[in-house]
Amino acid sequence: MPVSEALRRLAETPAFWTGEPFDTDGLPAEAHFSFPVVSGYALVLDVELPTGDRALGLRRPAASEPVQLGWAPAAGPYPAALRWWELERFARVIALSDPLLPHPGLVVALLSPFAPAAADDDPAQIAAVREAAYRSLRREIPFGEQLAALTGGPEQAPLPLFTGERWWPAPAVPSPQVLDEAAIASLSTPAQARLQVRAGHRFPHEDLSDLVRHASALLAGVPHHDWYAAARPLAGRIADSGDLAAVPALLGALTGAGCDHPTVLDALSEPLVPLEACWMVETLAGAEPGTLLRHHV
């Protein structure tokens, strides 16, 4: 799913994430984002602008309109519409089908408020995945500004006396990171479930369970694909040991087998992001989600 211009603009706006008011000029009154998962199911997020109120829905196969899972104002509180492990599983499937939406990334950043921590969840693991998702949010820096940062100094090296910043300040370079460290830390902390909506008789329990089954089956089948079968033993050893040092060897085995899946290769390539590598190794090994991740949080 190509990231729409409206979603790109919202994703690059810090106030959108923190629930503060922001300029909505040029944006539609209601932003509608659909993330296809599997077997005709999709997670749908509707955002009312400029209030920032959000509704999460589930679109079912052959249905024109999604059924609502939960609603929240911009700054919360958010309902426990999804369990954390459900969202994480869906995000993995979405990433495998759409290289533009790697995991953990935009999908987790947008939808994780609807999946608060439950009593049996590991808060440290959730916080780590959420932090990686919010940290993945980047804005593009025009090439001209990047070039100016590299070549904006004097034509020849100045005398030592004049090398200080007050004599020749370095040109300001826009940060590609959308959120500052304080915002990332605040957003990454998993909230506890307060608003329970799954007990309601209108909640689509059967449809959500069906989606979970399809998503779980898809992930379970990945290690048996021709590209991945030969690399599965090595992926299993990495998952069991917790040591990511063998990831380059795993990447080599996959490329040698003819794998050209951009999501798989990017997750295992340098510069290595441990959270991206962990979910991919777990998937290729057929391991329980969190098996490798727990060694790195």
Side-chain angles (χ1 to χ4, degrees), residues 53-54 70-80 113-114 116 191-197:
D53 297 349
R54 303 168 198 199
W71 174 92
Y78 284 77
F114 288 96
Q192 296 299 312
R194 287 192 291 168
L195 301 179
Q196 301 294 340
V197 295

Side-chain angles (χ1 to χ4, degrees), residues 94-191:
I94 292 170
L96 285 170
S97 64
D98 190 343
L100 296 178
L101 295 171
H103 174 65
L106 185 59
V107 173
V108 169
L110 282 171
L111 305 186
S112 60
F114 288 96
D120 55 349
D121 286 325
D122 184 337
Q125 286 196 20
I126 296 177
V129 175
R130 290 182 63 159
E131 179 182 350
Y134 290 117
R135 217 173 268 287
S136 74
L137 302 175
R138 291 287 189 270
R139 61 170 62 89
E140 291 187 11
I141 299 176
F143 178 73
E145 295 181 26
Q146 297 181 38
L147 190 62
L150 296 173
T151 63
E155 293 182 1
Q156 64 185 61
L159 296 172
L161 176 64
F162 304 108
T163 56
E165 285 191 2
R166 75 186 187 93
W167 293 102
W168 195 269
V173 181
S175 171
Q177 188 167 287
V178 170
L179 298 166
D180 61 25
E181 293 303 309
I184 290 173
S186 176
L187 290 168
S188 299
T189 304

Side-chain angles (χ1 to χ4, degrees), residues 80-296:
L82 296 173
R83 297 187 175 94
W84 171 256
W85 65 266
E86 291 172 338
L87 173 59
E88 224 256 354
R89 191 160 302 183
F90 299 156
R92 293 185 180 204
V93 172
I94 292 170
L96 285 170
S97 64
D98 190 343
L100 296 178
L101 295 171
H103 174 65
L106 185 59
V107 173
V108 169
L110 282 171
L111 305 186
S112 60
F114 288 96
D120 55 349
D121 286 325
D122 184 337
Q125 286 196 20
I126 296 177
V129 175
R130 290 182 63 159
E131 179 182 350
Y134 290 117
R135 217 173 268 287
S136 74
L137 302 175
R138 291 287 189 270
R139 61 170 62 89
E140 291 187 11
I141 299 176
F143 178 73
E145 295 181 26
Q146 297 181 38
L147 190 62
L150 296 173
T151 63
E155 293 182 1
Q156 64 185 61
L159 296 172
L161 176 64
F162 304 108
T163 56
E165 285 191 2
R166 75 186 187 93
W167 293 102
W168 195 269
V173 181
S175 171
Q177 188 167 287
V178 170
L179 298 166
D180 61 25
E181 293 303 309
I184 290 173
S186 176
L187 290 168
S188 299
T189 304
Q192 296 299 312
R194 287 192 291 168
L195 301 179
Q196 301 294 340
V197 295
R198 296 174 70 115
H201 69 279
R202 294 185 177 181
F203 191 86
H205 291 283
E206 291 186 9
D207 291 308
L208 189 57
S209 296
D210 192 46
L211 173 55
V212 168
R213 285 193 294 271
H214 283 290
S216 299
L218 187 149
L219 290 175
V222 168
H224 305 288
H225 189 283
D226 291 344
W227 286 342
Y228 312 132
R232 184 177 185 180
L234 177 54
R237 290 195 293 273
I238 297 172
D240 292 338
S241 69
D243 187 1
L244 296 177
V247 166
L250 177 61
L251 179 63
L254 290 169
T255 55
C259 175
D260 60 359
H261 195 306
T263 300
V264 175
L265 301 182
D266 288 349
L268 302 175
S269 298
E270 296 292 343
L272 198 69
V273 178
L275 271 294
E276 290 185 14
C278 283
W279 83 265
M280 185 55 65
V281 171
E282 290 171 357
T283 300
L284 296 177
E288 183 69 21
T291 300
L292 178 55
L293 180 62
R294 68 173 59 99
H295 292 282
H296 296 272

Side-chain angles (χ1 to χ4, degrees), residues 1 34-38 40-43 59 90 93-94 97-98 101:
M1 181 206 78
S34 178
F35 301 102
V37 186
V38 65
Y41 284 101
L43 295 172
R59 191 178 69 233
F90 299 156
V93 172
I94 292 170
S97 64
D98 190 343
L101 295 171

